[in-house]
Structures are given as structure tokens and as C-alpha cells.
């Protein structure tokens, strides 16, 4: 199961921040921030275009871009130098200024890279888990969610 929620206004240079806590009983899945999302929504809940910055239940992070429905990892699942809490909220932050992309977890830089494939789009949150996980009726918590244009 894949859920995604975005703000309707498109942004190019942007900072997105959210305090998120996934259920501790999750045995798979991930959550994160999406930026520069555009095009139609696909059958699996992804947009045709966009960047996603995620962390999974094992504490790994990944950064992926999707252009014309084709996904490419900018960072494959890896363990970051930033702390990721299993049973507590994690502060996720993504900044995108031109081609410069940065992914922070709990105020620590977890990944930095450059890519100019996508220049503007919607921003929001993404959550992925198996159907079994969602049947468990667990709650995914989000607090202090901000989308700020960067001038």
C-alpha cells in the first residue's frame, strides 16, 4: 500500500520539513518527503515525476527520482551518518535550491547531491507499507509539517 499527500501549489526552490513517527510494529515499509512532483498519479501511488527522500523500518535512507515514470536511485538504501529513531519521532527536512538537493534527519545532513532533471512541482509526504501493515490499524503520526519557498 502506498499513500501520498501533496500541497496543490507547485514550487521550484523549496524547503520541506515534517516531524514523523511511523508505528513501531511495522516490519517493512518507509516514509519520507517528496518534492517537485508532477504529472499524473500512477496506479502505485507515485507521481509520473518527482524526487523522494525516504527512510525505512531498518533505518536506511534512499533518494530516488522519477522522470516520465522511470525511477532512478540517486542514493540506494544505505545507513546514514544521522541518527534515526525507531520508536520516537524523526525530524525530516529536504531543501532544494536549483539542482542542489539536501536531505536532513534530526538536524543532521544525511545526503547531499545535485540533479537538474526536475525543476518544479508539488511537495508533500509519502508512506509505503504492505497491506498487512495497514490492516493492523496502526497510526502514522505527522506534526510540524512545513513547505517553505526559498528565495
Amino acid at each position: 500500500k502506498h499513500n501520498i499527500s501533496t500541497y496543490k501549489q507547485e514550487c521550484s526552490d523549496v524547503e520541506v520539513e515534517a516531524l514523523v513517527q511511523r508505528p513501531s510494529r511495522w516490519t517493512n515499509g518507509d516514509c519520507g518527503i517528496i518534492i517537485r512532483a508532477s504529472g499524473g498519479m500512477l496506479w502505485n501511488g507515485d507521481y509520473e515525476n518527482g524526487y523522494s527522500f525516504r527512510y525505512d523500518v531498518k533505518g536506511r535512507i534512499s533518494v530516488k527520482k522519477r522522470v516520465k515514470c522511470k525511477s532512478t536511485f540517486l542514493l540506494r538504501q544505505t545507513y546514514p551518518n544521522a541518527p534515526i529513531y525507531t520508536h520516537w519521532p524523526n525530524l525530516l527536512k529536504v531543501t532544494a535550491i536549483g539542482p542542489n538537493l539536501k536531505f536532513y534527519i534530526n538536524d543532521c545532513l544525511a545526503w547531499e547531491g545535485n540533479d537538474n532533471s526536475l525543476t518544479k512541482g508539488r511537495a508533500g509526504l509519502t508512506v509505503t507499507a504492505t497491506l498487512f501493515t495497514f490492516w493492523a490499524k496502526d497510526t502514522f503520526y505527522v506534526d510540524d509539517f512545513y513547505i517553505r519557498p526559498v528565495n
Side-chain angles (χ1 to χ4, degrees):
K1 181 77 176 160
H2 191 113
N3 288 305
I4 198 165
S5 179
T6 59
Y7 184 64
K8 290 182 180 181
Q9 183 178 339
E10 289 192 346
C11 326
S12 52
D13 293 346
V14 68
E15 178 179 276
V16 181
E17 185 175 305
L19 188 64
V20 298
Q21 182 177 356
R22 59 170 181 72
S24 60
R25 295 187 311 175
W26 280 17
T27 57
N28 61 30
D30 60 30
C31 60
I33 291 174
I34 57 170
I35 61 166
R36 298 181 179 167
S38 65
M41 181 84 60
L42 304 176
W43 65 270
N44 65 356
D46 277 337
Y47 278 96
E48 291 177 19
N49 307 294
Y51 294 102
S52 64
F53 303 79
R54 304 170 187 252
Y55 81 95
D56 68 17
V57 297
K58 296 179 181 175
R60 299 174 300 187
I61 62 170
S62 64
V63 178
K64 183 173 68 171
K65 73 175 173 179
R66 181 184 288 274
V67 178
K68 296 181 182 175
C69 300
K70 182 181 179 195
S71 295
T72 305
F73 278 100
L74 300 177
L75 175 68
R76 287 205 178 269
Q77 292 175 324
T78 188
Y79 292 98
N81 292 330
I84 296 180
Y85 307 117
T86 305
H87 303 293
W88 300 101
N90 287 285
L91 180 63
L92 306 181
K93 182 170 108 176
V94 171
T95 60
I97 301 173
N100 303 314
L101 308 172
K102 294 182 181 181
F103 183 20
Y104 297 87
I105 300 175
N106 299 317
D107 291 324
C108 295
L109 182 63
W111 178 83
E112 181 176 10
N114 292 296
D115 189 86
N116 60 5
S117 302
L118 304 167
T119 58
K120 70 175 184 173
R122 298 166 76 171
L125 296 174
T126 180
V127 180
T128 306
T130 63
L131 288 175
F132 175 76
T133 302
F134 280 106
W135 288 338
K137 305 277 188 225
D138 283 328
T139 303
F140 179 80
Y141 297 95
V142 178
D143 200 1
D144 299 331
F145 178 60
Y146 300 100
I147 300 174
R148 298 179 192 100
V150 178
N151 297 329

PDB file of all heavy atoms in Angstrom, residues 25-57:
ATOM      1  N   ARG A  25       5.378  -1.174  15.268  1.00  0.00           N
ATOM      2  CA  ARG A  25       5.094  -2.569  14.888  1.00  0.00           C
ATOM      3  C   ARG A  25       5.334  -2.841  13.412  1.00  0.00           C
ATOM      4  O   ARG A  25       5.282  -3.978  12.979  1.00  0.00           O
ATOM      5  CB  ARG A  25       3.651  -2.922  15.229  1.00  0.00           C
ATOM      6  CG  ARG A  25       3.379  -2.891  16.709  1.00  0.00           C
ATOM      7  CD  ARG A  25       2.023  -3.407  17.047  1.00  0.00           C
ATOM      8  NE  ARG A  25       0.972  -2.805  16.230  1.00  0.00           N
ATOM      9  CZ  ARG A  25      -0.293  -3.175  16.296  1.00  0.00           C
ATOM     10  NH1 ARG A  25      -0.664  -4.126  17.124  1.00  0.00           N
ATOM     11  NH2 ARG A  25      -1.200  -2.585  15.546  1.00  0.00           N
ATOM     12  N   TRP A  26       5.586  -1.786  12.608  1.00  0.00           N
ATOM     13  CA  TRP A  26       5.819  -2.002  11.187  1.00  0.00           C
ATOM     14  C   TRP A  26       7.030  -2.902  10.992  1.00  0.00           C
ATOM     15  O   TRP A  26       8.074  -2.698  11.600  1.00  0.00           O
ATOM     16  CB  TRP A  26       6.071  -0.696  10.477  1.00  0.00           C
ATOM     17  CG  TRP A  26       4.842   0.090  10.155  1.00  0.00           C
ATOM     18  CD1 TRP A  26       3.606  -0.085  10.697  1.00  0.00           C
ATOM     19  CD2 TRP A  26       4.752   1.168   9.259  1.00  0.00           C
ATOM     20  NE1 TRP A  26       2.741   0.840  10.174  1.00  0.00           N
ATOM     21  CE2 TRP A  26       3.415   1.617   9.293  1.00  0.00           C
ATOM     22  CE3 TRP A  26       5.660   1.813   8.435  1.00  0.00           C
ATOM     23  CZ2 TRP A  26       2.981   2.678   8.514  1.00  0.00           C
ATOM     24  CZ3 TRP A  26       5.227   2.865   7.666  1.00  0.00           C
ATOM     25  CH2 TRP A  26       3.890   3.290   7.708  1.00  0.00           C
ATOM     26  N   THR A  27       6.906  -3.881  10.141  1.00  0.00           N
ATOM     27  CA  THR A  27       8.033  -4.770   9.838  1.00  0.00           C
ATOM     28  C   THR A  27       8.615  -4.488   8.466  1.00  0.00           C
ATOM     29  O   THR A  27       9.634  -5.062   8.098  1.00  0.00           O
ATOM     30  CB  THR A  27       7.584  -6.241   9.899  1.00  0.00           C
ATOM     31  OG1 THR A  27       6.495  -6.426   8.985  1.00  0.00           O
ATOM     32  CG2 THR A  27       7.164  -6.615  11.302  1.00  0.00           C
ATOM     33  N   ASN A  28       7.983  -3.635   7.694  1.00  0.00           N
ATOM     34  CA  ASN A  28       8.521  -3.208   6.404  1.00  0.00           C
ATOM     35  C   ASN A  28       7.917  -1.855   6.059  1.00  0.00           C
ATOM     36  O   ASN A  28       7.086  -1.339   6.783  1.00  0.00           O
ATOM     37  CB  ASN A  28       8.233  -4.235   5.302  1.00  0.00           C
ATOM     38  CG  ASN A  28       6.736  -4.424   5.103  1.00  0.00           C
ATOM     39  OD1 ASN A  28       5.952  -3.505   5.319  1.00  0.00           O
ATOM     40  ND2 ASN A  28       6.334  -5.599   4.708  1.00  0.00           N
ATOM     41  N   GLY A  29       8.340  -1.295   4.954  1.00  0.00           N
ATOM     42  CA  GLY A  29       7.801  -0.017   4.512  1.00  0.00           C
ATOM     43  C   GLY A  29       8.751   1.127   4.793  1.00  0.00           C
ATOM     44  O   GLY A  29       9.818   0.960   5.377  1.00  0.00           O
ATOM     45  N   ASP A  30       8.349   2.308   4.332  1.00  0.00           N
ATOM     46  CA  ASP A  30       9.155   3.504   4.522  1.00  0.00           C
ATOM     47  C   ASP A  30       8.262   4.732   4.539  1.00  0.00           C
ATOM     48  O   ASP A  30       7.061   4.649   4.288  1.00  0.00           O
ATOM     49  CB  ASP A  30      10.238   3.626   3.441  1.00  0.00           C
ATOM     50  CG  ASP A  30       9.680   3.697   2.039  1.00  0.00           C
ATOM     51  OD1 ASP A  30       8.556   4.207   1.845  1.00  0.00           O
ATOM     52  OD2 ASP A  30      10.358   3.244   1.107  1.00  0.00           O
ATOM     53  N   CYS A  31       8.849   5.867   4.863  1.00  0.00           N
ATOM     54  CA  CYS A  31       8.132   7.125   4.824  1.00  0.00           C
ATOM     55  C   CYS A  31       9.119   8.216   4.475  1.00  0.00           C
ATOM     56  O   CYS A  31      10.331   8.027   4.587  1.00  0.00           O
ATOM     57  CB  CYS A  31       7.434   7.414   6.150  1.00  0.00           C
ATOM     58  SG  CYS A  31       8.533   7.539   7.548  1.00  0.00           S
ATOM     59  N   GLY A  32       8.611   9.334   4.024  1.00  0.00           N
ATOM     60  CA  GLY A  32       9.516  10.412   3.668  1.00  0.00           C
ATOM     61  C   GLY A  32       8.833  11.595   3.036  1.00  0.00           C
ATOM     62  O   GLY A  32       7.619  11.769   3.120  1.00  0.00           O
ATOM     63  N   ILE A  33       9.649  12.407   2.376  1.00  0.00           N
ATOM     64  CA  ILE A  33       9.221  13.660   1.764  1.00  0.00           C
ATOM     65  C   ILE A  33       9.378  13.540   0.253  1.00  0.00           C
ATOM     66  O   ILE A  33      10.341  12.952  -0.236  1.00  0.00           O
ATOM     67  CB  ILE A  33      10.075  14.828   2.310  1.00  0.00           C
ATOM     68  CG1 ILE A  33       9.729  15.071   3.784  1.00  0.00           C
ATOM     69  CG2 ILE A  33       9.884  16.088   1.471  1.00  0.00           C
ATOM     70  CD1 ILE A  33      10.601  16.101   4.462  1.00  0.00           C
ATOM     71  N   ILE A  34       8.425  14.112  -0.467  1.00  0.00           N
ATOM     72  CA  ILE A  34       8.554  14.211  -1.917  1.00  0.00           C
ATOM     73  C   ILE A  34       8.567  15.677  -2.321  1.00  0.00           C
ATOM     74  O   ILE A  34       7.937  16.521  -1.663  1.00  0.00           O
ATOM     75  CB  ILE A  34       7.414  13.470  -2.657  1.00  0.00           C
ATOM     76  CG1 ILE A  34       6.059  13.997  -2.237  1.00  0.00           C
ATOM     77  CG2 ILE A  34       7.501  11.989  -2.449  1.00  0.00           C
ATOM     78  CD1 ILE A  34       4.925  13.499  -3.092  1.00  0.00           C
ATOM     79  N   ILE A  35       9.331  15.980  -3.362  1.00  0.00           N
ATOM     80  CA  ILE A  35       9.379  17.341  -3.892  1.00  0.00           C
ATOM     81  C   ILE A  35       9.335  17.287  -5.408  1.00  0.00           C
ATOM     82  O   ILE A  35       9.611  16.251  -6.012  1.00  0.00           O
ATOM     83  CB  ILE A  35      10.639  18.117  -3.433  1.00  0.00           C
ATOM     84  CG1 ILE A  35      11.907  17.419  -3.925  1.00  0.00           C
ATOM     85  CG2 ILE A  35      10.642  18.314  -1.928  1.00  0.00           C
ATOM     86  CD1 ILE A  35      13.154  18.279  -3.803  1.00  0.00           C
ATOM     87  N   ARG A  36       9.001  18.407  -5.990  1.00  0.00           N
ATOM     88  CA  ARG A  36       8.963  18.579  -7.442  1.00  0.00           C
ATOM     89  C   ARG A  36       8.167  17.482  -8.145  1.00  0.00           C
ATOM     90  O   ARG A  36       8.517  17.033  -9.228  1.00  0.00           O
ATOM     91  CB  ARG A  36      10.371  18.705  -7.993  1.00  0.00           C
ATOM     92  CG  ARG A  36      11.099  19.942  -7.443  1.00  0.00           C
ATOM     93  CD  ARG A  36      12.482  20.120  -7.970  1.00  0.00           C
ATOM     94  NE  ARG A  36      13.080  21.343  -7.413  1.00  0.00           N
ATOM     95  CZ  ARG A  36      14.368  21.630  -7.496  1.00  0.00           C
ATOM     96  NH1 ARG A  36      15.194  20.822  -8.117  1.00  0.00           N
ATOM     97  NH2 ARG A  36      14.826  22.736  -6.967  1.00  0.00           N
ATOM     98  N   ALA A  37       7.093  17.054  -7.502  1.00  0.00           N
ATOM     99  CA  ALA A  37       6.219  16.018  -8.066  1.00  0.00           C
ATOM    100  C   ALA A  37       5.297  16.661  -9.099  1.00  0.00           C
ATOM    101  O   ALA A  37       4.761  17.746  -8.873  1.00  0.00           O
ATOM    102  CB  ALA A  37       5.397  15.358  -6.967  1.00  0.00           C
ATOM    103  N   SER A  38       5.124  15.977 -10.228  1.00  0.00           N
ATOM    104  CA  SER A  38       4.248  16.499 -11.281  1.00  0.00           C
ATOM    105  C   SER A  38       3.734  15.354 -12.142  1.00  0.00           C
ATOM    106  O   SER A  38       4.166  14.212 -12.011  1.00  0.00           O
ATOM    107  CB  SER A  38       4.996  17.521 -12.150  1.00  0.00           C
ATOM    108  OG  SER A  38       6.047  16.882 -12.853  1.00  0.00           O
ATOM    109  N   GLY A  39       2.827  15.691 -13.043  1.00  0.00           N
ATOM    110  CA  GLY A  39       2.230  14.679 -13.905  1.00  0.00           C
ATOM    111  C   GLY A  39       1.107  13.978 -13.176  1.00  0.00           C
ATOM    112  O   GLY A  39       0.697  14.368 -12.087  1.00  0.00           O
ATOM    113  N   GLY A  40       0.627  12.916 -13.760  1.00  0.00           N
ATOM    114  CA  GLY A  40      -0.477  12.177 -13.172  1.00  0.00           C
ATOM    115  C   GLY A  40      -0.037  11.241 -12.068  1.00  0.00           C
ATOM    116  O   GLY A  40       1.140  10.934 -11.909  1.00  0.00           O
ATOM    117  N   MET A  41      -1.019  10.799 -11.312  1.00  0.00           N
ATOM    118  CA  MET A  41      -0.780   9.816 -10.257  1.00  0.00           C
ATOM    119  C   MET A  41      -0.859   8.428 -10.892  1.00  0.00           C
ATOM    120  O   MET A  41      -1.771   8.134 -11.642  1.00  0.00           O
ATOM    121  CB  MET A  41      -1.841   9.962  -9.164  1.00  0.00           C
ATOM    122  CG  MET A  41      -1.698   9.024  -8.006  1.00  0.00           C
ATOM    123  SD  MET A  41      -0.558   9.557  -6.727  1.00  0.00           S
ATOM    124  CE  MET A  41      -1.224  11.086  -6.173  1.00  0.00           C
ATOM    125  N   LEU A  42       0.126   7.582 -10.589  1.00  0.00           N
ATOM    126  CA  LEU A  42       0.184   6.239 -11.148  1.00  0.00           C
ATOM    127  C   LEU A  42      -0.587   5.252 -10.290  1.00  0.00           C
ATOM    128  O   LEU A  42      -0.974   5.560  -9.159  1.00  0.00           O
ATOM    129  CB  LEU A  42       1.645   5.801 -11.283  1.00  0.00           C
ATOM    130  CG  LEU A  42       2.535   6.732 -12.115  1.00  0.00           C
ATOM    131  CD1 LEU A  42       3.963   6.250 -12.094  1.00  0.00           C
ATOM    132  CD2 LEU A  42       2.013   6.839 -13.533  1.00  0.00           C
ATOM    133  N   TRP A  43      -0.777   4.045 -10.770  1.00  0.00           N
ATOM    134  CA  TRP A  43      -1.542   3.010 -10.071  1.00  0.00           C
ATOM    135  C   TRP A  43      -0.955   2.690  -8.702  1.00  0.00           C
ATOM    136  O   TRP A  43      -1.658   2.320  -7.789  1.00  0.00           O
ATOM    137  CB  TRP A  43      -1.615   1.725 -10.918  1.00  0.00           C
ATOM    138  CG  TRP A  43      -0.269   1.094 -11.116  1.00  0.00           C
ATOM    139  CD1 TRP A  43       0.612   1.333 -12.132  1.00  0.00           C
ATOM    140  CD2 TRP A  43       0.366   0.141 -10.267  1.00  0.00           C
ATOM    141  NE1 TRP A  43       1.755   0.592 -11.971  1.00  0.00           N
ATOM    142  CE2 TRP A  43       1.628  -0.159 -10.830  1.00  0.00           C
ATOM    143  CE3 TRP A  43      -0.003  -0.495  -9.081  1.00  0.00           C
ATOM    144  CZ2 TRP A  43       2.522  -1.050 -10.246  1.00  0.00           C
ATOM    145  CZ3 TRP A  43       0.899  -1.391  -8.502  1.00  0.00           C
ATOM    146  CH2 TRP A  43       2.135  -1.654  -9.091  1.00  0.00           C
ATOM    147  N   ASN A  44       0.369   2.847  -8.534  1.00  0.00           N
ATOM    148  CA  ASN A  44       1.003   2.503  -7.263  1.00  0.00           C
ATOM    149  C   ASN A  44       1.096   3.685  -6.304  1.00  0.00           C
ATOM    150  O   ASN A  44       1.690   3.589  -5.245  1.00  0.00           O
ATOM    151  CB  ASN A  44       2.393   1.923  -7.505  1.00  0.00           C
ATOM    152  CG  ASN A  44       3.351   2.919  -8.120  1.00  0.00           C
ATOM    153  OD1 ASN A  44       2.973   4.039  -8.445  1.00  0.00           O
ATOM    154  ND2 ASN A  44       4.588   2.517  -8.286  1.00  0.00           N
ATOM    155  N   GLY A  45       0.525   4.828  -6.679  1.00  0.00           N
ATOM    156  CA  GLY A  45       0.523   5.980  -5.786  1.00  0.00           C
ATOM    157  C   GLY A  45       1.637   6.965  -6.044  1.00  0.00           C
ATOM    158  O   GLY A  45       1.642   8.039  -5.461  1.00  0.00           O
ATOM    159  N   ASP A  46       2.593   6.626  -6.884  1.00  0.00           N
ATOM    160  CA  ASP A  46       3.659   7.565  -7.231  1.00  0.00           C
ATOM    161  C   ASP A  46       3.180   8.550  -8.284  1.00  0.00           C
ATOM    162  O   ASP A  46       2.240   8.279  -9.017  1.00  0.00           O
ATOM    163  CB  ASP A  46       4.879   6.816  -7.794  1.00  0.00           C
ATOM    164  CG  ASP A  46       5.779   6.267  -6.707  1.00  0.00           C
ATOM    165  OD1 ASP A  46       5.749   6.792  -5.580  1.00  0.00           O
ATOM    166  OD2 ASP A  46       6.537   5.326  -7.001  1.00  0.00           O
ATOM    167  N   TYR A  47       3.865   9.680  -8.377  1.00  0.00           N
ATOM    168  CA  TYR A  47       3.656  10.607  -9.469  1.00  0.00           C
ATOM    169  C   TYR A  47       4.515  10.189 -10.652  1.00  0.00           C
ATOM    170  O   TYR A  47       5.492   9.457 -10.501  1.00  0.00           O
ATOM    171  CB  TYR A  47       4.041  12.029  -9.051  1.00  0.00           C
ATOM    172  CG  TYR A  47       2.971  12.745  -8.278  1.00  0.00           C
ATOM    173  CD1 TYR A  47       2.974  12.775  -6.897  1.00  0.00           C
ATOM    174  CD2 TYR A  47       1.958  13.408  -8.946  1.00  0.00           C
ATOM    175  CE1 TYR A  47       1.992  13.433  -6.194  1.00  0.00           C
ATOM    176  CE2 TYR A  47       0.960  14.071  -8.258  1.00  0.00           C
ATOM    177  CZ  TYR A  47       0.988  14.079  -6.883  1.00  0.00           C
ATOM    178  OH  TYR A  47      -0.001  14.733  -6.192  1.00  0.00           O
ATOM    179  N   GLU A  48       4.176  10.701 -11.840  1.00  0.00           N
ATOM    180  CA  GLU A  48       4.982  10.423 -13.032  1.00  0.00           C
ATOM    181  C   GLU A  48       6.392  10.985 -12.879  1.00  0.00           C
ATOM    182  O   GLU A  48       7.355  10.410 -13.379  1.00  0.00           O
ATOM    183  CB  GLU A  48       4.324  11.029 -14.271  1.00  0.00           C
ATOM    184  CG  GLU A  48       3.036  10.350 -14.673  1.00  0.00           C
ATOM    185  CD  GLU A  48       2.380  11.029 -15.860  1.00  0.00           C
ATOM    186  OE1 GLU A  48       3.058  11.788 -16.592  1.00  0.00           O
ATOM    187  OE2 GLU A  48       1.179  10.796 -16.066  1.00  0.00           O
ATOM    188  N   ASN A  49       6.505  12.129 -12.197  1.00  0.00           N
ATOM    189  CA  ASN A  49       7.800  12.795 -11.996  1.00  0.00           C
ATOM    190  C   ASN A  49       7.919  13.219 -10.538  1.00  0.00           C
ATOM    191  O   ASN A  49       6.930  13.579  -9.912  1.00  0.00           O
ATOM    192  CB  ASN A  49       7.894  14.052 -12.867  1.00  0.00           C
ATOM    193  CG  ASN A  49       7.606  13.777 -14.319  1.00  0.00           C
ATOM    194  OD1 ASN A  49       8.349  13.073 -14.976  1.00  0.00           O
ATOM    195  ND2 ASN A  49       6.500  14.317 -14.821  1.00  0.00           N
ATOM    196  N   GLY A  50       9.135  13.219 -10.020  1.00  0.00           N
ATOM    197  CA  GLY A  50       9.353  13.712  -8.666  1.00  0.00           C
ATOM    198  C   GLY A  50      10.586  13.117  -8.016  1.00  0.00           C
ATOM    199  O   GLY A  50      11.153  12.132  -8.502  1.00  0.00           O
ATOM    200  N   TYR A  51      11.007  13.742  -6.934  1.00  0.00           N
ATOM    201  CA  TYR A  51      12.090  13.232  -6.094  1.00  0.00           C
ATOM    202  C   TYR A  51      11.478  12.737  -4.793  1.00  0.00           C
ATOM    203  O   TYR A  51      10.582  13.375  -4.237  1.00  0.00           O
ATOM    204  CB  TYR A  51      13.091  14.334  -5.742  1.00  0.00           C
ATOM    205  CG  TYR A  51      13.870  14.896  -6.899  1.00  0.00           C
ATOM    206  CD1 TYR A  51      13.537  16.117  -7.468  1.00  0.00           C
ATOM    207  CD2 TYR A  51      14.963  14.213  -7.413  1.00  0.00           C
ATOM    208  CE1 TYR A  51      14.264  16.647  -8.518  1.00  0.00           C
ATOM    209  CE2 TYR A  51      15.708  14.736  -8.467  1.00  0.00           C
ATOM    210  CZ  TYR A  51      15.343  15.950  -9.012  1.00  0.00           C
ATOM    211  OH  TYR A  51      16.063  16.479 -10.053  1.00  0.00           O
ATOM    212  N   SER A  52      11.969  11.622  -4.274  1.00  0.00           N
ATOM    213  CA  SER A  52      11.523  11.146  -2.957  1.00  0.00           C
ATOM    214  C   SER A  52      12.737  10.903  -2.074  1.00  0.00           C
ATOM    215  O   SER A  52      13.765  10.401  -2.526  1.00  0.00           O
ATOM    216  CB  SER A  52      10.677   9.882  -3.069  1.00  0.00           C
ATOM    217  OG  SER A  52      11.436   8.820  -3.594  1.00  0.00           O
ATOM    218  N   PHE A  53      12.603  11.302  -0.827  1.00  0.00           N
ATOM    219  CA  PHE A  53      13.637  11.174   0.191  1.00  0.00           C
ATOM    220  C   PHE A  53      13.012  10.371   1.321  1.00  0.00           C
ATOM    221  O   PHE A  53      12.112  10.851   2.001  1.00  0.00           O
ATOM    222  CB  PHE A  53      14.062  12.557   0.693  1.00  0.00           C
ATOM    223  CG  PHE A  53      14.552  13.465  -0.402  1.00  0.00           C
ATOM    224  CD1 PHE A  53      13.659  14.127  -1.239  1.00  0.00           C
ATOM    225  CD2 PHE A  53      15.910  13.636  -0.602  1.00  0.00           C
ATOM    226  CE1 PHE A  53      14.107  14.959  -2.254  1.00  0.00           C
ATOM    227  CE2 PHE A  53      16.363  14.469  -1.614  1.00  0.00           C
ATOM    228  CZ  PHE A  53      15.474  15.129  -2.440  1.00  0.00           C
ATOM    229  N   ARG A  54      13.473   9.128   1.521  1.00  0.00           N
ATOM    230  CA  ARG A  54      12.781   8.203   2.436  1.00  0.00           C
ATOM    231  C   ARG A  54      13.728   7.565   3.453  1.00  0.00           C
ATOM    232  O   ARG A  54      14.904   7.443   3.215  1.00  0.00           O
ATOM    233  CB  ARG A  54      12.131   7.080   1.632  1.00  0.00           C
ATOM    234  CG  ARG A  54      11.188   7.528   0.569  1.00  0.00           C
ATOM    235  CD  ARG A  54      10.808   6.342  -0.319  1.00  0.00           C
ATOM    236  NE  ARG A  54      10.025   6.742  -1.444  1.00  0.00           N
ATOM    237  CZ  ARG A  54       8.730   6.500  -1.597  1.00  0.00           C
ATOM    238  NH1 ARG A  54       8.074   5.824  -0.695  1.00  0.00           N
ATOM    239  NH2 ARG A  54       8.089   6.920  -2.657  1.00  0.00           N
ATOM    240  N   TYR A  55      13.109   7.131   4.564  1.00  0.00           N
ATOM    241  CA  TYR A  55      13.815   6.226   5.481  1.00  0.00           C
ATOM    242  C   TYR A  55      12.903   5.045   5.737  1.00  0.00           C
ATOM    243  O   TYR A  55      11.682   5.161   5.743  1.00  0.00           O
ATOM    244  CB  TYR A  55      14.253   6.938   6.764  1.00  0.00           C
ATOM    245  CG  TYR A  55      13.211   7.116   7.829  1.00  0.00           C
ATOM    246  CD1 TYR A  55      13.087   6.201   8.867  1.00  0.00           C
ATOM    247  CD2 TYR A  55      12.364   8.216   7.825  1.00  0.00           C
ATOM    248  CE1 TYR A  55      12.141   6.366   9.867  1.00  0.00           C
ATOM    249  CE2 TYR A  55      11.413   8.393   8.814  1.00  0.00           C
ATOM    250  CZ  TYR A  55      11.307   7.468   9.827  1.00  0.00           C
ATOM    251  OH  TYR A  55      10.374   7.632  10.810  1.00  0.00           O
ATOM    252  N   ASP A  56      13.522   3.856   5.920  1.00  0.00           N
ATOM    253  CA  ASP A  56      12.717   2.646   6.085  1.00  0.00           C
ATOM    254  C   ASP A  56      12.802   2.112   7.509  1.00  0.00           C
ATOM    255  O   ASP A  56      13.490   2.674   8.370  1.00  0.00           O
ATOM    256  CB  ASP A  56      13.096   1.573   5.050  1.00  0.00           C
ATOM    257  CG  ASP A  56      14.490   0.994   5.239  1.00  0.00           C
ATOM    258  OD1 ASP A  56      15.096   1.148   6.331  1.00  0.00           O
ATOM    259  OD2 ASP A  56      14.987   0.357   4.295  1.00  0.00           O
ATOM    260  N   VAL A  57      12.093   1.014   7.772  1.00  0.00           N
ATOM    261  CA  VAL A  57      11.995   0.464   9.118  1.00  0.00           C
ATOM    262  C   VAL A  57      13.320  -0.081   9.626  1.00  0.00           C
ATOM    263  O   VAL A  57      13.493  -0.265  10.826  1.00  0.00           O
ATOM    264  CB  VAL A  57      10.917  -0.636   9.208  1.00  0.00           C
ATOM    265  CG1 VAL A  57       9.550  -0.055   8.915  1.00  0.00           C
ATOM    266  CG2 VAL A  57      11.224  -1.791   8.283  1.00  0.00           C
TER     267      VAL A  57
END
